[in-house]
Amino acid sequence: MKVQQEGFLYMDVLASLFVMSLLCSTLFVLMMSSIQQYGKMMEEDRTLQSMILYMEEGKASWASGTSSESDEPPNVGMTSFQRRVEISPEGVHVLTVIAYRHGEEIHRFTTYLLERSQ
């Protein structure tokens, strides 16, 4: 009778150990996934902040009458930026900032520019 109880306790400990190791492994995988997602979100945040800054620099260059092509685009990891001023069919100047990652467009910001003050 005593042997059966020890065997039962032995199997109970093994089952508990298996469940706990499975739980720990699952938590580890979820934690690593969260860390990767956090890294991607931080890179996306830096990209959007850089685009806004690059657009504001373009608007300031436009207002002061200097060329916006001479400004250095921001550097954010694998993301490159392009800024251009075009004239819309209505005759309004339009500033566009485009972000590319691995040669693919990921974001595009567009704003109208006021006429330069003399």
Side-chain angles (χ1 to χ4, degrees):
M1 191 94 169
K2 209 174 198 183
V3 175
Q4 288 178 343
Q5 287 179 346
E6 287 178 6
F8 176 74
L9 289 175
Y10 178 71
M11 292 302 289
D12 191 35
V13 169
L14 277 180
S16 299
L17 183 63
F18 176 73
V19 169
M20 292 305 287
S21 64
L22 189 63
L23 178 66
C24 290
S25 298
T26 304
L27 288 176
F28 177 75
V29 168
L30 290 174
M31 185 178 68
M32 293 306 291
S33 175
S34 296
I35 290 171
Q36 287 177 343
Q37 288 297 322
Y38 179 75
K40 289 178 185 177
M41 287 176 14
M42 291 301 292
E43 182 179 354
E44 192 68 20
D45 186 52
R46 283 191 301 271
T47 300
L48 292 175
Q49 288 180 11
S50 296
M51 284 187 72
I52 292 168
L53 177 65
Y54 199 42
M55 178 169 271
E56 292 299 323
E57 287 175 351
K59 289 179 358 184
S61 296
W62 172 263
S64 66
T66 59
S67 172
S68 64
E69 281 76 27
S70 63
D71 293 342
E72 183 72 23
N75 185 11
V76 179
M78 300 297 294
T79 307
S80 60
F81 299 92
Q82 178 186 17
R83 179 173 60 202
R84 56 182 184 226
V85 176
E86 300 171 338
I87 300 177
S88 70
E90 295 83 26
V92 178
H93 288 88
V94 177
L95 173 66
T96 304
V97 175
I98 306 169
Y100 297 96
R101 189 174 295 138
H102 305 293
E104 213 174 289
E105 182 179 323
I106 57 171
H107 296 292
R108 177 185 293 252
F109 289 168
T110 303
T111 189
Y112 295 109
L113 297 170
L114 299 175
E115 292 299 319
R116 295 182 178 134
S117 58
Q118 302 296 327

